[in-house]
Amino acid sequence: MDTLKIMQTAIRGRWAVAAIFLANGFLTGAWAPQIPVVLTRLEISKFTLGLLILLFGAGAVTAMTWCGHLISRHGSRTVLRWFGLIGSFGLLVVALAPNVPLAAIAMFIFGGSIGGMDVAMNANAVVVERRLSRAIMSSSHGFWSLGGFAGGALGGFAIQNYGHLAHAMVVTALAFAVIAVAVRYLIAEHRPQVTDHHKFALPGNPLVYLVGLMALLTMISEGAVLDWAALYLQQELGTDLAIAGLAYAAFSGVMAVMRFAGDGVRNRFGAVTTLRVSALVAATGMLVAGLAPWPWLAISAFAFCGFGIANMVPILFSAGGNQEGMSSGTGMSVVTTMGYSGILVAPSAIGFIAEHSSFGPIFVALSGLLVVVFLMAGLAHRAEFAPDAAPAE
């Protein structure tokens, strides 16, 4: 009877953390159609917008570093409760910012809340996996992508018809409601594991850094679609905001479907083959998006790119966590840190370049980075040794 009760609690915890992945993706996806509004509302240049996005990344990286320490002391459930509830207000804070200085502070807070929530929800998903003795990570990230699809798809329409502030308020209310219910059913570690302090040393195996480089190149492309695809469609392909918001929605929606199917695809064809084909598909989609003369072709191309990128990052993270001669945590920390710098920091550089160029050539160049991942795919062979789902993105 006790075993049955424990299993029921674990199953509730599994769906609770899935709901928080969904809410986190929804908040992130809802931010994408708000980006063109920030540009016009604050009357700033793409360069300044790039700096604001950089602050979002800085806040996220800062919180990620701090969040790991908090989890070791208090457990993932407690930390996720606080970051989740606070994070639901992040987009609203940005939407309320009346000028650039306050927008800068708001972006740092928003990025920090999303970043801390990201680390805590992934850590809690690991707790659920251990309790259930089966993998849930890939499908959890499928829920994240599903949330991103919903946030991006509805955001452009809502902003165009009801205004950016009304949109942010509805997003906040929905996210807070989902998170407030979900945190009641999260499960906790039996005891938070406080690790001993050891002298810091970088891994000596160069292969883990090459895997990290592939994660970096992949997540630069993912971040570019999130932050700049809507502006690209609006400013360069002449579409309205409602249609422009569909670029990230299509990308994220296709990515969600592929992440739900990702474990089966990888188990059938192998990690390296899956990574190689995925990189080629993603590069093709990004190339067509950059050359597209029509908005709907660009949206379709971004969706095709999402089809490829969906399972690249989980495979690369898995390869990082299975490096020979080092603990899984050490290899994972290198690859995830390098990868997240791509999705959180690198898109700001794209804004700087776009100030003096256009987005089309930038997306074409990003397709070249994905070709590099295609050529390096064999270096991810250690992912073949991962028995379950890939680690979290």
Side-chain angles (χ1 to χ4, degrees):
M1 190 66 180
D2 289 340
T3 302
L4 178 61
K5 186 176 180 180
I6 290 171
M7 184 59 65
Q8 289 174 339
T9 301
I11 291 173
R12 284 196 296 267
R14 183 264 180 278
W15 291 111
V17 76
I20 293 181
F21 269 88
L22 182 75
N24 185 281
F26 182 64
L27 286 165
T28 305
W31 159 239
Q34 285 269 353
I35 291 172
V37 179
V38 172
L39 189 74
T40 56
R41 182 171 64 86
L42 299 181
E43 298 180 342
I44 57 177
S45 65
K46 294 174 186 174
F47 178 86
T48 303
L49 180 58
L51 287 176
L52 291 176
I53 294 173
L54 181 62
L55 285 172
F56 180 96
V61 171
T62 301
M64 285 176 177
T65 304
W66 184 42
C67 193
H69 173 69
L70 290 176
I71 291 172
S72 71
R73 292 180 61 87
H74 304 291
S76 61
R77 179 175 66 177
T78 299
V79 176
L80 182 52
R81 281 174 171 172
W82 285 107
F83 270 107
L85 293 171
I86 294 171
S88 61
F89 291 92
L91 182 65
L92 182 60
V93 172
V94 173
L96 288 170
N99 52 50
V100 173
L102 289 178
I105 296 172
M107 287 291 288
F108 187 87
I109 294 172
F110 185 29
S113 65
I114 292 294
M117 189 177 169
D118 190 286
V119 173
M121 70 190 188
N122 280 297
N124 193 258
V126 172
V127 177
V128 175
E129 285 187 321
R130 291 172 180 165
R131 199 70 56 87
L132 292 175
S133 298
R134 63 182 175 86
I136 67 159
M137 198 65 75
S138 181
S139 61
S140 293
H141 282 276
F143 280 106
W144 186 92
S145 296
L146 193 62
F149 168 76
L154 300 175
F157 175 82
I159 293 171
Q160 184 165 292
N161 289 278
Y162 304 105
H164 80 283
L165 191 55
H167 167 254
M169 292 174 67
V170 171
V171 168
T172 299
L174 291 174
F176 183 83
V178 170
I179 293 169
V181 172
V183 294
R184 298 174 57 193
Y185 299 101
L186 293 171
I187 63 174
E189 298 89 340
H190 291 300
R191 176 184 297 177
Q193 297 178 350
V194 181
T195 56
D196 296 329
H197 294 285
H198 298 287
K199 184 177 179 181
F200 175 78
L202 291 171
N205 183 356
L207 182 58
V208 71
Y209 298 104
L210 293 175
V211 174
L213 175 62
M214 288 191 284
L216 170 67
L217 298 179
T218 301
M219 295 180 79
I220 285 175
S221 298
E222 186 174 345
V225 178
L226 167 64
D227 288 324
W228 299 113
L231 201 62
Y232 167 54
L233 263 71
Q234 187 182 31
Q235 290 194 348
E236 296 182 22
L237 298 184
T239 188
D240 60 31
L241 185 58
I243 301 299
L246 295 178
Y248 180 69
F251 176 85
S252 188
V254 171
M255 197 157 56
V257 173
M258 283 307 298
R259 281 179 168 168
F260 283 121
D263 290 335
V265 172
R266 178 176 157 189
N267 290 335
R268 180 172 180 178
F269 299 104
V272 171
T273 299
T274 303
L275 177 61
R276 186 170 285 131
V277 173
S278 296
L280 193 59
V281 168
T284 302
M286 193 70 79
L287 177 65
V288 174
L291 297 175
W294 311 295
W296 286 108
L297 178 59
I299 291 170
S300 300
F302 282 127
F304 194 66
C305 184
F307 182 87
I309 284 181
N311 291 308
M312 292 172 66
V313 171
I315 290 172
L316 292 169
F317 281 15
S318 181
N322 285 283
Q323 288 299 308
E324 199 169 8
M326 68 182 71
S327 69
S328 60
T330 300
M332 187 70 65
S333 66
V334 172
V335 175
T336 54
T337 299
M338 293 179 69
Y340 270 115
S341 69
I343 199 170
L344 296 174
V345 178
S348 63
I350 294 175
F352 305 155
I353 297 170
E355 186 69 20
H356 306 287
S357 178
S358 60
F359 287 112
I362 292 173
F363 287 120
V364 171
L366 291 177
S367 72
L369 300 185
L370 292 167
V371 170
V372 173
V373 178
F374 164 77
L375 296 174
M376 298 174 66
L379 299 178
H381 65 277
R382 294 298 301 181
E384 305 284 9
F385 295 91
D388 291 314
E393 178 185 341

